[in-house]
Amino acid sequence: MAYTDLGDFISRLERENELVRVRERVSRDLEITEIADRTMKLTPGVGAGPGVGAGFEIPPQHQGNGPALLFENVDGFEIPVLINAYGSQRRMAMALGVDSLDEVGERIESLLHTQSPGTFIEKLMMLPKLVGLSSAFPKIVKSAPCQEIVHAGDDASLDALPVLKCWPGDGGRFLTLPMVFTKSLETGKRNVGMYRMHVYDSRTTGMHWHVHKGGARHYAEYEAANQRMEIAVALGGDPAITYAATAPLPEDFDEMIFAGFLRQASVDMVQCKTVDQQVPADAEIVLEGFVDPRERRIEGPFGDHTGYYSPADEYPVFHLTCVTHRKDPIYPATIVGRPPMEDCYLGKATERIFLPLIKSQLPEIVDMNLPVEGIFHNLALVSIRKRYPMQARKVISALWGLGQMMFTKIIVVFDEDVDVQDMSEVIWRLGSNIDPRRDVTFSDGPVDVLDHAAPQPLYGSKMGIDATRKIAGEGHDRPWPEDIRMSADVVARIDRLWGKLGIG
Ligand SMILES: Cc1cc2nc3c(=O)[nH]c(=O)nc-3n(C[C@H](O)[C@H](O)[C@H](O)COP(=O)(O)O)c2cc1C
Ligand SMILES: [Mn+2]
């Protein structure tokens, strides 16, 4: 059931009426962004706004967001641009071959219940063993579609790729959906992360891995050893592989094994031509190259997923040594910016898929919502089954210690009966149930590199809010009021009467 490649996924999207081919000629500079941004912000019943609709029609049934777009006529380029392929709950589920994202979470949960050793990380690290070696581990293949065409040496260039300039204030054009393959110098273990790449010229780009991420951790080893770091960057392939590059997996958990688990079939990998890396054989385009351990260059600014420009800063530089690609490749891209955007749905997939793992460590957690406007690291809404005083504080502290949850600026904890997916209820309970001085707790720690409100980069304060009802032992001596609810017999009687009342 796994997709053989990106083209296979595109065919599925098309069959399901989830993709629009844009045949009008458009520029890769800003115009694709403007069309994609409007598309990502379409809501049912709301028009696309002036100007859109000239070259294509939006099918009617997109729940809260417009279709995937395949730009077939990008001014000056032969290669088409795919964007917004992950941009809805439905398409994200389709990308992972499930009907609902919770299915993936349930598969993880049932694995954890069959064999259940140790901590969160230990459990996650067990996954490959649990899934079984044959089905999840990557396989090496000798020949690959992604190497049908090879441009090595002086022939290697980024110029044929329709890399987007996303926003007017951007420092240049950026690869926005690259899977960056690195290897630890010490252990040889692989990491794959999605880190945007600022194109400086035909053969050099920035390498924007944040200091907290796997690529930067490997890079620190090469810096210490003063050794050149060989890197491969893949674009496209089975969408489950691309998602895996964005997933917040623990250190040393091979994203290609996780992709194998997601697609329930191992990922075929092929050896690169000029660097000691393997890449997914089904990729559209592969960039091979290296990063020098001493070189730095200004990267950015870039209109970021925070909805603000992230400032220019110094990052390592990627030097291209070879480009390989399919005969007729597709260039996958996304834009980020003020939410909701396509990346919100990649993030929502992570929320659903990782929830069972978080619950295995914090069993009192019932549900968690990372609202898209909270851009994932700003706001987490969590419901818990509370049994003892200060349990909400324990959950808050524990979440700040769990993987990339460490970046979460605001965590709000509610009781189990609160639907944290319902923002109307969230705001009502939050305002009603807290005494700010008692129920708000502050802490300091690492913050996301993109956080611009922290007084200095990389570290700042966090806020935890206990919005649960206060129980004995929490210093609240007054009785806690009951929710207002109608008596069951009256509800039943009015249920029977309702249709006759002519109200609706
Ligand atoms: C569209 C998109 C762009 C991203 N860009 C970056 C980036 O430029 N730098 C970065 O450190 N993380 C970026 N991320 C987040 C990482 O991909 C994510 O944190 C991932 O878990 C990193 O994997 P790692 O833990 O193996 O480093 C991006 C995510 C998405 C979905
Ligand atoms: Mn990783």
Side-chain angles (χ1 to χ4, degrees):
M1 284 227 296
Y3 297 103
T4 52
D5 52 34
L6 192 61
D8 190 18
F9 181 49
I10 290 173
S11 305
R12 167 97 194 274
L13 291 175
E14 204 154 26
R15 278 200 307 280
E16 306 264 354
N17 209 15
E18 286 283 348
L19 178 123
V20 168
R21 289 175 186 269
V22 182
R23 298 195 171 94
E24 290 289 299
R25 177 157 355 123
V26 294
S27 167
R28 62 168 170 159
D29 291 332
L30 308 180
E31 290 187 3
I32 288 182
T33 296
E34 179 59 14
I35 296 170
D37 186 35
R38 291 187 197 199
T39 306
M40 290 173 195
K41 289 178 171 65
L42 280 180
T43 49
V46 178
V52 177
F56 62 102
E57 276 178 14
I58 309 264
Q61 85 296 0
H62 302 287
Q63 301 154 10
N65 26 53
L69 303 173
L70 186 63
F71 289 90
E72 295 182 327
N73 189 356
V74 182
D75 198 9
F77 294 87
E78 301 209 327
I79 301 176
V81 174
L82 177 70
I83 198 162
N84 205 25
Y86 304 91
S88 74
Q89 298 267 75
R90 178 159 191 254
R91 289 202 294 283
M92 194 60 235
M94 280 167 56
L96 301 182
V98 290
D99 292 324
S100 137
L101 293 170
D102 283 316
E103 274 174 48
V104 184
E106 281 157 20
R107 272 180 63 214
I108 292 183
E109 200 168 359
S110 65
L111 283 174
L112 294 177
H113 282 157
T114 38
Q115 294 176 46
S116 199
T119 64
F120 173 73
I121 299 294
E122 282 164 4
K123 281 179 171 168
L124 197 48
M125 296 305 279
M126 277 294 288
L127 266 187
K129 291 203 186 76
L130 297 175
V131 211
L133 295 178
S134 54
S135 66
F137 275 56
K139 269 205 316 260
I140 301 288
V141 295
K142 283 266 178 305
S143 74
C146 71
Q147 293 180 337
E148 280 169 354
I149 311 285
V150 177
H151 301 282
D154 290 344
D155 226 18
S157 163
L158 299 168
D159 292 348
L161 304 184
V163 182
L164 307 186
K165 176 164 180 189
C166 299
W167 295 104
D170 284 1
R173 301 191 179 97
F174 291 78
L175 297 158
T176 49
L177 273 183
M179 295 175 261
V180 177
F181 288 70
T182 59
K183 267 187 202 162
S184 163
L185 188 58
E186 281 153 25
T187 66
K189 285 192 173 150
R190 167 166 49 220
N191 190 71
V192 191
M194 181 167 289
Y195 318 119
R196 72 166 187 241
M197 293 161 72
H198 183 166
V199 176
Y200 299 130
D201 57 47
S202 313
R203 294 170 67 93
T204 47
T205 78
M207 189 47 88
H208 186 252
W209 44 48
H210 298 162
V211 62
H212 309 109
K213 306 296 173 71
R217 181 165 44 82
H218 286 172
Y219 180 62
E221 298 173 359
Y222 288 83
E223 261 187 306
N226 196 20
Q227 263 189 49
R228 176 184 270 212
M229 180 180 187
E230 295 192 342
I231 290 175
V233 177
L235 296 158
D238 180 332
I241 304 176
T242 297
Y243 165 72
T246 75
L249 294 167
E251 278 182 23
D252 287 346
F253 191 113
D254 183 355
E255 281 80 4
M256 292 305 100
I257 295 176
F258 191 60
F261 164 76
L262 290 171
R263 67 200 295 264
Q264 307 193 51
S266 56
V267 179
D268 284 350
M269 307 286 291
V270 69
Q271 183 67 28
C272 287
K273 299 288 181 190
T274 60
V275 294
D276 184 19
Q277 292 284 350
Q278 289 104 39
V279 284
D282 70 345
E284 295 292 310
I285 301 159
V286 176
L287 313 177
E288 304 179 5
F290 64 88
V291 167
D292 186 289
R294 289 156 310 230
E295 190 180 6
R296 295 284 187 286
R297 191 162 162 179
I298 290 291
E299 199 272 359
F302 180 66
D304 224 313
H305 86 116
T306 56
Y308 296 86
Y309 284 102
S310 48
D313 198 0
E314 291 199 328
Y315 275 87
V317 180
F318 172 78
H319 294 272
L320 189 71
T321 55
C322 183
V323 178
T324 73
H325 60 83
R326 288 168 176 269
K327 280 207 191 79
D328 295 303
I330 291 163
Y331 174 75
T334 191
I335 53 158
V336 293
R338 183 169 168 163
M341 284 289 196
E342 178 177 11
D343 65 317
C344 298
Y345 300 94
L346 288 161
K348 277 285 162 192
T350 292
E351 173 198 296
R352 290 295 104 190
I353 291 169
F354 283 78
L355 183 59
L357 288 156
I358 293 176
K359 283 187 188 180
S360 76
Q361 194 69 0
L362 294 166
E364 61 267 74
I365 290 185
V366 175
D367 196 11
M368 181 173 76
N369 180 11
L370 308 176
V372 296
E373 297 82 358
I375 61 161
F376 299 98
H377 37 84
N378 284 349
L379 180 61
L381 308 168
V382 182
S383 55
I384 65 165
R385 235 169 266 115
K386 177 164 137 181
R387 289 190 300 109
Y388 53 81
M390 294 285 110
Q391 194 168 354
R393 309 278 175 126
K394 190 270 292 205
V395 168
I396 290 166
S397 303
L399 287 174
W400 280 331
L402 268 191
Q404 291 189 34
M405 289 299 289
M406 72 172 163
F407 300 126
T408 315
K409 262 210 291 200
I410 307 170
I411 301 177
V412 193
V413 181
F414 298 91
D415 287 306
E416 61 187 299
D417 57 339
V418 175
D419 179 1
V420 291
Q421 308 296 335
D422 176 351
M423 291 309 285
S424 165
E425 176 163 11
V426 160
I427 291 165
W428 169 53
R429 301 280 192 185
L430 170 63
S432 306
N433 284 357
I434 62 161
D435 175 70
R437 194 182 306 281
R438 179 194 57 202
D439 294 328
V440 176
T441 177
F442 287 96
S443 182
D444 297 285
V447 296
D448 193 277
V449 172
L450 302 180
D451 187 289
H452 59 256
Q456 61 281 303
L458 299 173
Y459 104 79
S461 65
K462 286 115 193 292
M463 179 167 68
I465 305 179
D466 176 357
T468 59
R469 63 176 69 84
K470 301 305 166 293
I471 59 174
E474 293 192 315
H476 188 87
D477 294 333
R478 307 166 66 201
W480 199 266
E482 270 180 53
D483 285 7
I484 301 170
R485 283 207 182 88
M486 184 45 69
S487 351
D489 56 331
V490 176
V491 172
R493 185 176 133 63
I494 300 304
D495 276 350
R496 288 193 297 275
L497 214 58
W498 187 253
K500 297 180 197 155
L501 299 179
I503 296 173

